[in-house]
Amino acid sequence: MIKSLLFPTACAICDKGSRTLCSDCYEALKNRNLKISKSENSSLKYLIYFVDYDLMYKKLIHKGKYCLNKEVWRIIGHLISDKLDIKSNSIITYVPLHWMRYCKRGFNQSKLIAERIGKTISLIRRVKNNSSFTMLSASERIAKSCELFEVRNKDLSNVYTCYIIDDVVTTRATLEACSSLVKQKYPHIEVIGISFAKTPKHSEFMVV
Ligand SMILES: [Zn+2]
């Protein structure tokens, strides 16, 4: 009772009910199909995503990210997992947060999604915190983003596919940087991105 007074919960999309997602909004999400987008100049084989990053889903993501509601990410991970056929000889990893941001938030939302999809490994390490790359071109942004991450040494000789989870894809520079670093270290592996939401306007992916 006291908890609900201090932390009132209502559906993150429609503000009704008393759950993180009401049954109507949950069902509406459940009935959506995953989408695939491809880009010719991408190190990703393709990106699988669930929804366009519009106002309705911004509210949901805000609740998960800034109201620190972990349940949002578990639900999203579950919804994606239900629709996805994970290839054999594959690994699932995620875009890491810088440790300072991780300490502040207490969790990495991309990791929470990944853990619902399957057994997750920590393959990528963030060595620097985000900088603002808004003045840079798309290729410069990817090059600069590569400086933020390192890929760990692992025996992945039997692995053919690496899924990288990123909660939201906007400019795609972060996911693209992680993918290209994984491919540099493990050229025999194909990388597939998985995201809950993708910004349609600023994306350079072609929706197919
Ligand atoms: Zn709702």
Side-chain angles (χ1 to χ4, degrees), residues 11 13-16 21-22 25:
C11 174
I13 292 178
C14 72
D15 293 325
K16 291 178 190 158
L21 262 188
C22 73
C25 292

